[in-house]
Amino acid sequence: MVATQETKIYRRDVDKLDIREREKLLKPYLPSKPLKVANRPKHQPIRMFLRTQLHYLVFTAMHMVFSLYIRFRQAFYIILDRIFAVLYYHHRAPELIRQDIRGLERLPQHLSVILEIKPEEQGLAGLEKLLDDVAEISAWCAGAGIPLLSVYERTGVLKDHIQRTHRVASSKLHSYFGRHVPTLQIQAPHIPSFLDGDESSRTSSSPGHLSILLLSEEDGRATLVDLTKTLTEMSQRNKLSADDISVELIDAEISESVMAEPDLLILFGPYVKLQGYPPWQVRLTEIYHSQDNCGVGYQVFLRALYKFAKAQMKFGR
């Protein structure tokens, strides 16, 4: 209320002043000299037009160079795949597969691949294509003598069709091996395994035996979160000491519940996209992908084995 009265008194006194007296009151608060306004450059339309055209020219040149590089790179890999297809092709004969890898010093004992259903192949056609890819890769692994194959598909659709996957893979193995077909076991985390058409407990890999492990996104980070919660509850209930929790313990638990770490991971896409692949299992895994490749191919599989054989594993101290 006091402030309001003072404001009224101030306004009444100011209204009595003339213009010169008001200027005299404000003069001490004004700058001594007026600020100079910066001289703005005059508008030059020709120079601006030339500069804009130069920017467009540089931008177009960069796009042309990059496009030519992409085209030449795609052509190079297409020619390389054709050469490999002529020199190395399995013809559905395990003998030729073994001949292609004869000079390799080592092979992965656990091979993992990442597959996906493409957006243009949704529905039954996409599932059939995915099952055929799994069957082809399993036949290549059996021919190369790789006992364990893990297949990661983000949505988990393969887990819903374990029996169908076993049937398609068995049919493909028969087309490759004839009468001498290796035993086939398909399993998934927390799901009973499927061996030779019958559900059975998990068995270790033996000569002439191929195990296929089906993985999905829920077997990745979600498994780590569940394991962390379990260890936390056990530690709070004094069932497990905090000093007992180590990398070895976590590795053993994850290997038992999901899978052990693969030796080689093959990506059949043009980019390195793990798509939620279990992160703990790729710490020391050799990852291979072929640029500009957009499908499952024997040439990519073979080049991955060659790269793995030449890779140097440095684990540190």
Side-chain angles (χ1 to χ4, degrees), residues 10-40:
Y10 170 77
R11 290 180 178 177
R12 184 181 59 191
D13 294 339
V14 170
D15 293 339
K16 295 180 181 180
L17 300 176
D18 56 6
I19 297 177
R20 293 182 180 180
E21 291 177 345
R22 293 180 183 178
E23 292 179 353
K24 187 176 180 180
L25 288 174
L26 295 176
K27 189 174 182 180
Y29 303 99
L30 296 176
S32 57
K33 294 181 180 181
L35 298 176
K36 295 182 179 180
V37 181
N39 295 328
R40 297 182 179 178

Side-chain angles (χ1 to χ4, degrees), residues 121-234:
E121 296 177 350
Q122 295 292 337
L124 185 59
L127 179 60
E128 292 291 342
K129 179 66 168 56
L130 182 63
L131 293 175
D132 186 70
D133 290 340
V134 174
E136 285 286 352
I137 298 172
S138 63
W140 302 339
C141 289
I146 300 174
L148 178 58
L149 168 67
S150 57
V151 180
Y152 176 84
E153 197 278 325
R154 185 180 60 84
T155 62
V157 65
L158 291 175
K159 290 183 177 181
D160 299 331
H161 300 83
I162 290 184
Q163 295 185 10
R164 188 174 180 180
T165 304
H166 187 280
R167 183 171 63 253
V168 175
S170 298
S171 176
K172 187 71 67 173
L173 290 176
H174 276 86
S175 66
Y176 273 73
F177 290 87
R179 296 180 179 179
H180 306 284
V181 180
T183 57
L184 177 63
Q185 178 186 21
I186 296 184
Q187 53 190 347
H190 316 297
I191 298 177
S193 60
F194 201 82
L195 174 63
D196 288 337
D198 297 323
E199 293 186 356
S200 63
S201 59
R202 294 187 182 184
T203 60
S204 59
S205 298
S206 59
H209 178 80
L210 176 64
S211 295
I212 300 178
L213 179 62
L214 305 180
L215 302 172
S216 63
E217 190 175 19
E218 64 181 7
D219 301 317
R221 297 180 181 179
T223 302
L224 285 176
V225 173
D226 294 339
L227 178 60
T228 303
K229 292 180 179 179
T230 302
L231 294 177
T232 303
E233 292 176 357
M234 294 179 65

Side-chain angles (χ1 to χ4, degrees), residues 254-269:
I254 292 180
S255 299
E256 179 67 23
S257 59
V258 182
M259 69 170 181
E261 193 167 6
D263 301 316
L264 175 63
L265 173 62
I266 302 179
L267 310 177
F268 289 99

Side-chain angles (χ1 to χ4, degrees), residues 92-104:
R92 295 195 174 186
E95 297 80 9
L96 295 180
I97 297 177
R98 287 191 288 267
Q99 182 179 351
D100 293 338
I101 63 172
R102 182 179 301 172
L104 301 182

Side-chain angles (χ1 to χ4, degrees), residues 61-106:
M62 292 175 60
H63 269 266
M64 290 179 62
V65 172
F66 187 73
S67 299
L68 289 175
Y69 164 72
I70 294 297
R71 297 300 180 186
F72 277 114
R73 192 183 70 182
Q74 291 176 347
F76 170 77
Y77 282 108
I78 290 175
I79 295 174
L80 186 63
D81 287 339
R82 294 297 181 269
I83 294 175
F84 266 86
V86 173
L87 298 178
Y88 304 98
Y89 191 70
H90 51 78
H91 294 285
R92 295 195 174 186
E95 297 80 9
L96 295 180
I97 297 177
R98 287 191 288 267
Q99 182 179 351
D100 293 338
I101 63 172
R102 182 179 301 172
L104 301 182
E105 297 179 358
R106 59 176 179 172

